[in-house]
Amino acid sequence: MVSWFQKNLQKSMLAVSVLLLAGSVNVNAEVAAPVVPKGKGEQCVEPTGEMRKNHMEMLKHQRDETMHNGIRTKKHALKECISCHVQADDKGQVARFGEDGHFCSSCHNYAGVNVDCFQCHADRPQELIGKGHKIKPHHTANFNDASVNKEALQALSKVSK
Amino acid sequence: MKLIRYASIDGNSNGYWGLMALFAAFILAALGSSYFMEHNGHYVTGMTNQIVWGLPHVFAVFLIVAASGALNVASIASVFNKKAYKPLTRLSALLAIALLMGGLIVLVLDLGRPDRLIIAATIYNFKSIFAWNMILYSGFIGIVGVYLWTMMDETVNKFNRIAGISAFVWRLMLTTGTGSIFGFLVARQGYDAAIMAPMFIIMSFAFGLAFFILVMFATYNGTGRELGDAIVNRMRNLLGIFVAAILYFFLVFHLTNLYATEHHGVEAFILRDGGVFTNLFWIGSIIIGGVVPLLMVYGPFCKKSRKALAVASVLVIIGGLASMYVIIIGGQAYPLQLFPGMEVSSSFFDGVVNTYSPTLPELMLGLGGVALSLIIVTLAVKALDLLPVSLADSVADPHHKD
Amino acid sequence: MKTDNTTDTSKRKFLGGAAAVAGITIAPGVLLQTVQAKPDDQAVSNKVRWGMLIDTNKCADGCTDCVTACNSEHGLAGHDRPETDTQYIRKVTLKDKQTGHVKTLPVMCQHCETAPCADVCPTGASFKREDGIVLVDKHICIGCRYCMMACPYKARSFVHEDVYDQKDHTPRGKGTVESCTMCVHKVDKGENPACVTACNKEHKAMYFGDLNDANSEISKRLKEHGGKQIRADLGLNPGVRYQGV
């Protein structure tokens, strides 16, 4: 699906961002290493080093296979990563994507690598929905608070029209 | 024929910088509008699940169509060997590139996911006329760029004719492709007509020339360079012919549709019952964009007036935008016919005429595209030797007799 | 695809209730499913063509069970803005201009064999799966909405604002186009689409199955009673057929 050009472009962009990151780390040595939340299980589906390096390739491969060919094996599925790695804390709260406590964000925030997975995919296991911090990413669009939501949005749309 | 001397303009006057500031302000407003739309989502615009393409697309398609038309002047000189147009080929090619870029930026900034432009540029579905258009657009910028190079660099001037012919063929393909975006939509009553492609070509001739005339007037007036009647009157005639041709195509398009009972509904909608669309069609496209410019071009009172030609060009552009609005948005406003012969209703606006009220951000985005085109021209005439020092009749046409 | 019954019996799910309608009994107590689970690691194939049959004579006026089921299955919570809110399936009311006869029926993506949306999509994000289900690959959709211009059935919606807490089987987000997936996540597990299941609870107006399998319930019904295509004149050979219109 992905052309050679795009792949290489992404790689080179990644290389550039890694270089930039290396630079910033040198300048600002105080940045703490990310604290990655522990998963539910004992062992990941692949060795940790392999996952760190290639998780994006695996996810992308799986994504295309599922989307276009209906392959629904679980091993490299994003849903499974989320259901194992995103867990409620002692207070029953779940970190959301974007917060350092979220498995994906813990590293991605640190590395400054932006991903758009969670614009479409849920960032928590289904059974934990409703238990996370309520984030208000941009405007007032909010999950379960319909009344607040509606008024604010109406006001917003009035401004625009 | 004298050797034509080209020179860049000084571009230091208050007027020049004022113009630059004005265009820049519009571009900033467009960027802000796009950010506002992308950040909140398209629900803040007038566009809906019924009217999926709105005002930005009216501007974008208009500019893209005008772009290929702006190349006319160069084509007439290079392909058809009309020497009188030779001095203006450089401006013609540059304006073509500028208008296309203006149109494309509007299209891109309206996408649901403009951040994924790289995907659109690297993954193609070759059955999609839209994908072909992306190739046609980028190819156009490349080919016209080379064409411009052959005009400006003595060492490659020998390739000028072949580049000119390539650019001419390419621009015909480009407008065919743009028209086919709508012509290929079999399901919609307002589109689905092969005549869309040639109709878009004719429209491009007129819109592009109108833009060209205005830019030419503005630069020559602004710099005080001489502009003779010979070239102006040729363009006057040409504009008249193109506008008349548009009216002819409208006539054929609607007559064909009126003959088929199947299309009576949509024809009645556009021509009689469509409210804003009907008004835009008759007042905007036909009167403002057609009849009045024709009178101003050929009418005995205005025949020699440059002001009349300038106003006619402005009217052609306004009429062109109206035509695009009627075609693009009117075509969507008229309900899809899922069940012919039935009265249809649903929670999803089946069977009803869809309404669209454009919002300010959409308008600003569209105008920003125009501003981008114009700022490119304004910058380029200062940076490059695009404009002849003089376009007096003796330069443009040595045989011209007044 | 039609799986060999011996390949993966562990994954086969015998469905009760609604889905049993779509099965044929070969011996007392033994149910051979026509809607069959596909092994997770097996790609879909064009041996199967999933389709739906809607018997409008049984479709009740005022009933919106299919719509409700679809919205809850896919998490399609609206924002009370009907012009921009997503609808995968909708109930359409028809009134014959001549006779005044009124009918209602559900309309959703018709899963065309030659889908105009897939034809016009510049990036190939709109595509048809081998088994006939038309989907949007939102990973490569750029949100140009040309597919919405091209669809004869008004079946598509553009996500006009942010979405949170999506169902994990229906990822959806702002700036991309979406439409009925024929509940592909359920179909791959051998289950019926949510609308069909909901409809079968009371009215039994919707059937789901393999159009390529002459022995499937849907094929037999179509063979016996026929089934109309909406806008058959376009020659798109949709996978959704209607009886009684």
Side-chain angles (χ1 to χ4, degrees), chain B residues 257-286:
Chain B
N257 270 353
L258 282 171
Y259 200 78
T261 313
E262 180 198 356
H263 291 127
H264 283 180
V266 70
E267 283 302 313
F269 176 68
I270 298 290
L271 302 180
R272 194 187 63 207
D273 310 324
V276 64
F277 301 107
T278 304
N279 291 338
L280 274 175
F281 178 76
W282 289 111
I283 300 171
S285 306
I286 301 295

Side-chain angles (χ1 to χ4, degrees), chain B residues 114-137:
Chain B
D115 53 320
R116 289 186 178 158
L117 192 61
I118 187 75
I119 292 174
T122 51
I123 309 179
Y124 289 106
N125 165 25
F126 286 107
K127 212 182 166 185
S128 166
I129 187 70
F130 221 61
W132 280 104
N133 274 320
M134 289 184 205
I135 296 168
L136 289 171
Y137 297 154

Side-chain angles (χ1 to χ4, degrees), chain A residues 87-94:
Chain A
Q87 295 300 321
D89 62 16
D90 306 338
K91 293 172 198 150
Q93 292 270 295
V94 188

Side-chain angles (χ1 to χ4, degrees), chain B residues 39 116 128 181 343 350, chain C residues 90 95 120 138 144 146 174:
Chain B
H39 183 75
R116 289 186 178 158
S128 166
I181 289 180
E343 266 177 45
D350 284 274
Chain C
R90 64 192 190 268
K95 187 176 167 197
V120 302
K138 288 171 188 158
C144 74
Y146 194 24
K174 184 178 73 185

Side-chain angles (χ1 to χ4, degrees), chain A residues 1 63-64 66-74 79 96 118-124 126 129-130 135-139 141-144 149-150 153-154 157, chain C residues 38 40-44 79-81 123-124 127 129-130 135-140 161-174 176 184-185 188:
Chain A
M1 286 310 298
R63 151 200 130 171
D64 289 340
T66 307
M67 189 76 235
H68 292 267
N69 298 325
I71 304 274
R72 293 186 184 270
T73 49
K74 291 185 168 165
K79 200 198 306 197
R96 306 297 308 269
F118 301 103
Q119 288 183 26
C120 285
H121 288 276
D123 61 354
R124 297 164 288 176
Q126 299 281 288
I129 283 181
I135 43 166
K136 296 186 178 177
H138 325 299
H139 48 92
N142 184 347
F143 329 110
N144 303 319
N149 204 359
K150 220 164 107 185
L153 285 172
Q154 271 167 357
S157 59
Chain C
K38 169 186 78 64
D40 284 345
D41 59 353
Q42 202 159 8
V44 291
H79 301 85
D80 227 356
R81 281 188 277 273
T123 66
F127 70 102
R129 253 177 34 150
E130 285 291 300
L135 296 170
V136 181
D137 183 346
K138 288 171 188 158
H139 305 104
I140 54 173
E161 42 203 299
D162 282 312
V163 184
Y164 305 100
D165 294 337
Q166 298 88 340
K167 299 284 180 187
D168 55 9
H169 50 255
T170 311
R172 45 191 301 267
K174 184 178 73 185
T176 55
V184 64
H185 61 289
D188 282 349

Side-chain angles (χ1 to χ4, degrees), chain C residues 52-79:
Chain C
M52 253 190 237
L53 172 62
I54 292 151
D55 184 348
T56 60
N57 292 317
K58 293 192 204 153
C59 180
D61 193 7
C63 168
T64 53
D65 288 355
C66 54
V67 179
T68 314
C70 176
N71 288 345
S72 88
E73 178 69 27
H74 298 284
L76 306 180
H79 301 85

